[in-house]
């Protein structure tokens, strides 16, 4: 902004200087040329009068060359004098022989007709422009002689050039002075603007530490800074209050829900068997409410947190999460396949990739029938250099276009959903992807089912990689599961509250889930 203001001031000053100096320079040049030609014309007329008297007194004709030579020395001109018949009487340069007939030359012929003629032309002998004045020396209507005087324009041209240089020097001096003044003025104006920009950047990052000064710059910017300080202070207060509410509510809401669930379970020995389904439904609703509270608090923490994306190895995270989920998928006879090229490091906020993959795998596993496959595939985004795609594809019932459009709405669930979801998993994934500088979309899978596509920015230069062979995570029943990152403010997936869908084993599936498979 400082440069733009400085450029605008200098442009305006330059325009004013051009409007003043250019006309002045042209007027000065024309005035000098007019003065020079006027003096030359007058000198030629005076010389013609003197020579006319000498030519009229024939005895004084011998003095003409001397007079002409003296005039040429004093004025630096070239003078030719002819008599009434056009024969040369004197030449100050001696280039033309005396007695040569010059009456055929246009300017001489005009002067012999008792009319003066003047103008500028290029002198072939000197190779420069000269002012040529041809005047008759006459008494009344009788022309005694003609004088042609050529005055070089070198002196007046040099004087005009010096004047233009002086004007240019004055203009440069004025521009330099204006530049210094304009720079100081522009900095005075833009200093509070830069402070506001710095403060807004900090506010956008969630950590406003340096409030802009309200006593710098023009009055309008001071008022703007004061309004911004009030707005930012109030906004920070509201954000802190919301963050405090989210932190406190996690304890205030979880404890009563846990106590309610325990009380309901304690009723089981005293209930009539016919009331058992109602008790199970009540416990299920409490669990669903607990998951919903957990999801809402996770979203609140995510929206309040201001975390900078970091370079994260996407290949390592995919391999880790596939291994973690292999046990759950194996219990329901679902394969998890990892395929695609190695894409390296991508930009993501801490632990966001783990949470994104966990939520997408959770949703995919809920809808995947037995004997199907969930695919984790990586690919370079077509037409978007520096962007990679993570595809989580299932072979479930999929979604239509309207359902895919509404799937990221909070609490939205499909009407035909047969599982106890909260409608918060995909909104959490979308928020994590956006916070990492990426995006997530849902597409129909080519072989049926749903394809969740997460696009992220690469953290390094695009490099040629060798695709890894598709591999299926070996799964079977396991007593322990590798731990999930916890404790981070964005850790939103709760393994203790994950409820797998009810499966009906097929005729070739062991009801004890003790079967294991080995894939090549």
């Amino acid at each position: 902004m400082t440069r733009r203001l400085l450029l605008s001031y200098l442009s305006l000053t330059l325009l004013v200087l051009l409007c003043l100096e250019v006309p002045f320079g042209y007027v000065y040049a024309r005035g000098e040329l007019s003065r020079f030609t006027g003096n030359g014309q007058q000198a030629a007329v005076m010389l013609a009068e003197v020579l006319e008297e000498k030519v009229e007194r024939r005895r004084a004709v011998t003095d003409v060359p001397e007079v002409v030579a003296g005039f040429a020395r004093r004025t630096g001109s070239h003078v030719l004098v002819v008599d009434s018949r056009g024969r040369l009487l004197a030449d100050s340069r001696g280039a033309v022989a005396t007695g040569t007939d010059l009456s055929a030359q246009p300017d001489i012929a005009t002067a012999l007709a008792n009319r003066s003629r003047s103008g500028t032309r290029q002198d072939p002998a000197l190779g420069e422009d000269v002012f040529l004045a041809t005047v008759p020396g006459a008494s009344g209507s009788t022309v005694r002689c003609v004088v042609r005087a050529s005055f070089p324009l070198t002196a007046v041209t040099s004087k005009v050039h010096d004047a233009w240089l002086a004007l240019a020097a004055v203009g440069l001096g004025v521009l330099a002075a204006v530049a210094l003044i304009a720079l100081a003025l522009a900095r005075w104006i833009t200093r509070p603007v830069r402070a506001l920009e710095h403060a807004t950047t900090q506010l956008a990052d969630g950590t406003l530490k340096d409030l802009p000064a309200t006593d710098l710059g023009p009055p309008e910017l001071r008022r703007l800074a004061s309004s911004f300080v009030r707005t930012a202070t109030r906004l920070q207060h509201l954000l802190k209050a919301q963050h405090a509410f989210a932190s406190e509510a996690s304890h205030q809401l979880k404890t009563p829900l846990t106590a309610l669930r325990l009380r309901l379970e304690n009723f089981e020995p005293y209930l009539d068997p016919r009331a058992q389904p109602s008790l199970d439904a009540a416990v299920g609703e409490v669990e669903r409410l607990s998951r919903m509270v957990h999801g809402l608090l996770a979203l609140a923490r995510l929206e309040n947190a201001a975390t900078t994306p970091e370079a994260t190895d996407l290949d390592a995270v995919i391999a880790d999460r596939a291994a973690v989920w292999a046990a759950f998928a194996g219990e329901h006879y679902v394969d998890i396949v990892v395929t695609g090229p190695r894409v390296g490091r991508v930009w993501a906020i801490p632990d966001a990739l783990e949470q994104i993959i966990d939520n997408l795998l959770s949703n995919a596993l809920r809808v995947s029938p037995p004997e199907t496959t969930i695919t984790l595939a990586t690919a370079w985004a077509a037409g978007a250099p520096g962007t990679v795609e993570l595809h989580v594809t299932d072979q479930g019932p999929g979604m239509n276009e309207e359902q895919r459009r509404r799937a990221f709405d909070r609490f939205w669930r499909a009407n035909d959903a047969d599982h106890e979801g909260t409608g918060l998993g995909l909104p959490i994934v979308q928020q994590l992807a956006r916070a990492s500088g990426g995006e997530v979309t849902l597409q129909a899978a080519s072989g049926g089912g749903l394809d969740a596509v997460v696009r992220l920015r690469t953290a390094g230069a695009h490099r040629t990689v060798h695709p890894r062979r598709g591999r299926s995570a070996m799964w079977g029943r396991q007593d322990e599961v590798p731990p999930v990152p916890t404790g981070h403010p964005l850790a939103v997936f709760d393994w203790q509250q994950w409820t797998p869908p009810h499966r009906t084993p097929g005729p070739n599936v062991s009801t004890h889930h003790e079967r294991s498979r080995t894939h090549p």
Side-chain angles (χ1 to χ4, degrees):
M1 185 176 180
T2 302
R3 290 192 297 269
R4 289 193 293 271
L5 285 175
L6 182 60
L7 182 61
S8 63
Y9 294 150
L10 292 179
S11 300
L12 181 60
T13 304
L14 181 61
L15 179 61
V16 173
L17 288 174
L18 290 176
C19 292
L20 292 177
E21 291 190 347
V22 171
F24 176 79
Y26 276 110
V27 170
Y28 177 80
R30 295 180 65 177
E32 287 296 315
L33 181 60
S34 177
R35 186 184 306 102
F36 180 81
T37 56
N39 292 338
Q41 182 78 15
Q42 184 178 3
V45 170
M46 295 177 62
L47 177 61
E49 291 177 354
V50 172
L51 294 179
E52 187 269 336
E53 294 180 359
K54 292 185 177 294
V55 171
E56 185 179 6
R57 294 178 298 172
R58 296 185 179 275
R59 296 179 181 178
V61 173
T62 55
D63 298 337
V64 171
E66 184 179 353
V67 173
V68 169
F71 180 87
R73 285 194 303 271
R74 291 193 303 271
T75 60
S77 60
H78 174 214
V79 181
L80 289 175
V81 180
V82 299
D83 59 14
S84 59
R85 290 179 294 179
R87 291 178 300 180
L88 182 65
L89 295 179
D91 181 4
S92 61
R93 292 179 183 172
V96 182
T98 304
T100 304
D101 188 4
L102 302 178
S103 61
Q105 296 186 6
D107 56 335
I108 299 295
T110 301
L112 290 175
N114 202 14
R115 294 193 306 271
S116 299
R117 185 172 179 176
S118 62
T120 59
R121 70 173 187 181
Q122 189 173 27
D123 191 337
L126 299 178
E128 62 182 13
D129 292 336
V130 296
F131 172 69
L132 182 64
T134 307
V135 296
S139 298
S141 59
T142 303
V143 177
R144 306 291 183 183
C145 65
V146 172
V147 175
R148 183 171 71 184
S150 301
F151 300 93
L153 296 176
T154 305
V156 66
T157 302
S158 177
K159 193 174 183 180
V160 171
H161 285 173
D162 292 342
W164 280 114
L165 291 176
L167 290 175
V170 171
L172 290 177
V174 172
L175 284 177
V178 170
L180 293 176
I181 298 173
L183 182 60
L185 182 61
R187 287 183 174 178
W188 177 69
I189 293 175
T190 58
R191 185 180 294 111
V193 177
R194 291 195 299 269
L196 282 172
E197 180 185 9
H198 180 66
T200 53
T201 302
Q202 289 185 345
L203 183 62
D205 294 337
T207 55
L208 180 57
K209 299 178 180 179
D210 304 320
L211 290 174
T214 58
D215 56 350
L216 298 177
E220 295 82 3
L221 291 179
R222 295 181 186 180
R223 292 193 294 269
L224 177 61
S226 300
S227 300
F228 174 81
V229 168
R230 292 195 300 269
T231 303
T233 303
R234 179 166 179 78
L235 182 59
Q236 281 190 304
H237 175 73
L238 294 176
L239 290 176
K240 290 180 180 178
Q242 184 180 1
H243 184 67
F245 169 77
S247 300
E248 295 170 1
S250 61
H251 300 285
Q252 298 298 326
L253 293 177
K254 284 184 178 181
T255 301
L257 289 175
T258 303
L260 178 59
R261 177 179 176 178
L262 292 175
R263 289 179 181 274
L264 290 175
E265 291 176 347
N266 290 335
F267 287 154
E268 185 174 4
Y270 308 101
L271 289 179
D272 187 276
R274 292 173 296 179
Q276 187 65 38
S278 298
L279 178 62
D280 292 341
V283 172
E285 288 298 323
V286 171
E287 291 178 351
R288 181 171 176 272
L289 182 59
S290 297
R291 293 195 301 273
M292 185 177 297
V293 169
H294 181 81
L296 287 173
L297 293 175
L299 279 175
R301 290 195 298 268
L302 181 59
E303 291 171 349
N304 291 334
T307 307
T308 303
E310 299 177 354
T312 308
D313 190 342
L314 179 59
D315 301 311
V317 174
I318 292 175
D320 175 68
R321 304 324 297 165
V324 169
W325 278 90
F328 292 96
E331 290 181 359
H332 303 286
Y333 304 103
V334 176
D335 287 345
I336 296 180
V337 175
V338 179
T339 185
R342 297 187 179 276
V343 295
R345 296 155 67 86
V346 297
W347 292 111
I349 59 178
D351 294 336
L353 294 181
E354 291 86 346
Q355 304 306 319
I356 290 174
I357 296 175
D358 286 344
N359 278 279
L360 293 179
L361 285 177
S362 172
N363 289 342
L365 189 57
R366 290 181 191 275
V367 299
S368 295
E371 307 296 338
T372 59
T373 301
I374 298 175
T375 303
L376 290 171
T378 55
W380 297 104
T387 303
V388 299
E389 293 180 347
L390 168 63
H391 296 257
V392 180
T393 309
D394 61 62
Q395 296 177 340
M399 293 182 179
N400 57 38
E401 184 177 355
E402 176 65 18
Q403 289 174 335
R404 293 197 301 270
R405 186 181 63 84
R406 297 195 56 194
F408 293 102
D409 296 341
R410 296 185 183 183
F411 306 110
W412 181 86
R413 297 172 63 222
N415 294 330
D416 56 350
D418 59 353
H419 55 82
E420 297 180 353
T422 61
L424 293 176
L426 286 177
I428 290 175
V429 170
Q430 185 182 55
Q431 195 72 17
L432 287 168
R434 288 178 176 176
S436 301
E439 61 176 356
V440 58
T441 57
L442 299 180
Q443 302 174 0
S446 57
L450 189 66
D451 182 10
V453 183
V454 182
R455 293 181 178 84
L456 298 168
R457 297 173 296 131
T458 57
H462 192 295
R463 63 183 186 278
T464 303
V465 295
H466 300 285
R468 53 189 172 200
R469 289 189 303 172
R471 57 183 178 84
S472 175
M474 183 180 296
W475 49 265
R477 183 168 181 83
Q478 299 181 2
D479 296 330
E480 295 182 357
V481 177
V484 179
T486 57
H488 190 274
L490 302 182
V492 296
F493 189 80
D494 192 340
W495 286 80
Q496 302 299 327
Q497 296 182 359
W498 186 83
T499 304
H502 177 69
R503 304 292 188 189
T504 302
N508 298 323
V509 179
S510 172
T511 57
H512 297 286
H513 310 302
E514 295 176 353
R515 183 176 63 170
S516 64
R517 299 180 182 178
T518 302
H519 299 270

